[in-house]
Amino acid sequence: MRTLPLALGFASLLLAAGAGAARTSPFQDVPLGHWAELAINWAVRQGIMTGRSQSEFAPEQPVNRAELAIVMLRHNALLLERIEELELQVVRQNQQIQDLTQILDRPIFNGTMY
């Protein structure tokens, strides 16, 4: 069975980690400055990954297909949740635009009252 290093699963997460990621890690094997430190901390905070134990992440250990599938499912669920939040924001903004348009279309605002 083929396995992938766990750290390789973070390629897309490195970009998502962003500059606001915390510079501390609960994992003894993920020191400050580790190349995947920000992505690991972000993934743990988001609930996408948990590590091997509370104090060990094992970033250099292989990950099997089932583990990778779980990470991908959790990440997709997070993305869908964010998409739903953005869609709700768009709906609210569209409603605000419609409300404002109705107000501005009133005679007192469009100059047709006199």
Side-chain angles (χ1 to χ4, degrees):
M1 172 177 19
R2 279 195 291 175
T3 59
L4 299 171
L6 185 58
L8 289 180
F10 291 113
S12 68
L13 300 180
L14 281 172
L15 296 174
R23 290 295 307 213
T24 60
S25 175
F27 304 110
Q28 296 173 355
D29 57 352
V30 183
L32 289 178
H34 184 277
W35 71 269
E37 171 202 357
L38 294 177
I40 290 170
N41 290 339
W42 178 85
V44 170
R45 280 194 314 275
Q46 299 301 317
I48 295 171
M49 301 189 85
T50 59
R52 302 289 182 190
S53 70
Q54 287 186 339
S55 63
E56 180 187 21
F57 191 82
E60 306 301 329
Q61 295 299 313
V63 61
N64 63 39
R65 290 179 185 183
E67 292 168 330
L68 184 58
I70 290 169
V71 168
M72 292 172 69
L73 286 172
R74 289 176 181 166
H75 187 252
N76 285 344
L78 178 66
L79 291 176
L80 289 174
E81 181 180 313
R82 298 254 168 94
I83 289 170
E84 289 173 1
E85 291 170 5
L86 290 173
E87 287 174 342
L88 184 57
Q89 287 179 7
V90 168
V91 168
R92 288 179 184 153
Q93 289 174 352
N94 283 340
Q95 184 60 52
Q96 291 171 348
I97 290 170
Q98 289 175 0
D99 293 345
L100 185 57
T101 301
Q102 289 176 355
I103 290 171
L104 294 176
D105 281 345
R106 292 182 182 166
I108 195 167
F109 289 107
N110 66 17
T112 60
M113 186 171 184
Y114 299 105

